[in-house]
Amino acid sequence: MSDANDVARPLKTWSHLAKNRRRPTEYEIVSTKLLWSTDDDAPWAMGPDVPLSKWYVKYRNESPLRHADWDGFRDPDQLVYRTYNMIQDGQEAHVDGLLDDHSKNEHDSGLSDEWVAQLARLYTPSRYLLHTVQMSAAYLAALAPASTIENCFIFESGDQLRWVSRVAYRTAELATAHPSIGFGRQERARWEDDEAWQGFRELIERALVTWDWAEQFVAVNLVARPAIDAAVLRALSAVAQEAGDTLLSLLCRAQLIDSDRTQKWSRALVEYALRSDDHGTANRDQIRGWLDKWRGLGDAAIDAYCQALVPGSDLGAEVKKAVASARVSLVEDPATVG
């Protein structure tokens, strides 16, 4: 039964937002404390012995990465479904414009035979790599310990599906312009067998069967994705520009806008875990350990791809150095800096 005083003074906002003593933002209203499956013993209210409950207890609730209040995490960009779609609508219009303009100018017919062969080897098979990242983001959205973290993974998954479709579209365009090269028919074989992709394939396939949500987050968002961004997007963009493929260069730059946003919230999540009063030091050691475990596969992936992209060059070493610098900065202890 409600207390008479509760009826006389009803809450002006949701109870979990009342402590802020201000009008909640749209982000707070539609993003915070939405999960109801966080019970320690039976996450899905189906009993502790149900396999699904056991999975969530083991790989989410009992993850070595801990925080007393995961619900306190906030996306730095505070994206919600409405604003995400507004932003991506503009991005899609931009990419549509790039594709239409270059198609009208018969861009693909002007590419050299050597570069077309490189596209068949090092670009169009990338849809398999992007799809694996999407699969990881979807899994982590399901295992995330808070709705504000879940939403970030959902938007990341959407980003990846968007670019899978764009690479597939370009594959079809290139197949029309260069029907003898094998576009649309050889990508799977290249993904599975070409040396250029085997580093990334091993890295991401191992990550996909790393069931602990936090370790998979580290493996994919803090190791695999920075390697992909640096080698398959930034380095490929620069080489494409030199080869006269302005369209691919611009598409890679557009894709990096999504990637940079993902890296922004991923770093924010790490910082949030490290600021935990009860678990900050342990979380720093845990993340460092996972980075050490996975970085070798990330470096090998960069080496294999960059060697195929610019044979005999120091590109791989340069890319690894940049990625390693960003990786170290993630877990620097403020007490040891300066």
Side-chain angles (χ1 to χ4, degrees), residues 107-108 111 116 119-120 123-124 169-179 181 183 245:
H107 167 271
D108 291 347
L111 298 174
V116 170
L119 291 175
Y123 174 62
T124 56
Y169 184 89
R170 282 296 293 140
T171 302
E173 285 193 319
L174 289 164
T176 299
H178 303 277
I181 303 300
F183 287 111
D245 192 349

Side-chain angles (χ1 to χ4, degrees), residues 1-16:
M1 182 177 295
S2 300
D3 186 280
N5 291 330
D6 293 338
V7 176
R9 295 191 301 273
L11 287 173
K12 296 181 179 180
T13 186
W14 287 262
S15 58
H16 71 277

Side-chain angles (χ1 to χ4, degrees), residues 4-207:
N5 291 330
D6 293 338
V7 176
R9 295 191 301 273
L11 287 173
K12 296 181 179 180
T13 186
W14 287 262
S15 58
H16 71 277
L17 298 174
K19 65 180 182 296
N20 296 331
R21 303 184 67 82
R22 58 170 172 76
R23 183 175 182 177
T25 64
E26 178 187 17
Y27 174 77
E28 290 171 327
I29 293 171
V30 304
S31 300
T32 58
K33 290 201 172 184
L34 300 181
L35 299 187
W36 56 270
S37 62
T38 54
D39 184 272
D40 289 339
D41 298 319
W44 291 97
M46 293 185 292
D49 295 326
V50 173
L52 184 63
S53 292
K54 290 182 176 180
W55 187 278
Y56 273 75
V57 168
K58 182 176 182 179
Y59 296 119
R60 181 185 64 185
N61 298 0
E62 296 180 353
S63 172
L65 196 71
R66 298 185 176 276
H67 201 290
D69 181 25
W70 284 117
D71 283 298
F73 172 74
R74 297 291 182 267
D75 173 9
D77 292 319
Q78 298 201 4
L79 287 183
V80 299
Y81 183 74
R82 181 182 67 83
T83 53
Y84 174 79
N85 278 284
M86 289 174 61
I87 291 170
Q88 295 303 70
D89 183 58
Q91 287 285 74
E92 288 290 87
H94 169 66
V95 172
D96 284 340
L98 292 177
L99 294 171
D100 289 345
D101 286 346
H102 284 78
S103 178
K104 291 176 182 177
N105 293 330
E106 299 183 348
H107 167 271
D108 291 347
S109 63
L111 298 174
S112 69
D113 292 342
E114 180 181 2
W115 181 246
V116 170
Q118 284 288 76
L119 291 175
R121 183 186 183 194
L122 299 177
Y123 174 62
T124 56
S126 69
R127 75 174 187 268
Y128 287 92
L129 177 60
L130 300 179
H131 196 195
T132 59
V133 176
Q134 183 273 326
M135 292 166 64
S136 170
Y139 174 76
L140 293 174
L143 267 286
S147 54
T148 51
I149 301 172
E150 175 188 48
N151 286 350
C152 290
F153 285 124
I154 289 173
F155 295 143
E156 179 182 0
S157 179
D159 291 343
Q160 294 305 301
L161 278 179
R162 173 186 173 219
W163 287 105
V164 167
S165 68
R166 290 304 192 177
V167 174
Y169 184 89
R170 282 296 293 140
T171 302
E173 285 193 319
L174 289 164
T176 299
H178 303 277
S180 64
I181 303 300
F183 287 111
R185 302 191 303 273
Q186 298 180 0
E187 281 76 21
R188 178 174 177 176
R190 291 193 181 279
W191 168 249
E192 292 180 345
D193 300 320
D194 195 306
E195 284 299 316
W197 292 107
Q198 297 320 295
F200 278 116
R201 191 163 76 92
E202 180 178 5
L203 168 59
I204 202 69
E205 288 182 359
R206 289 184 182 275

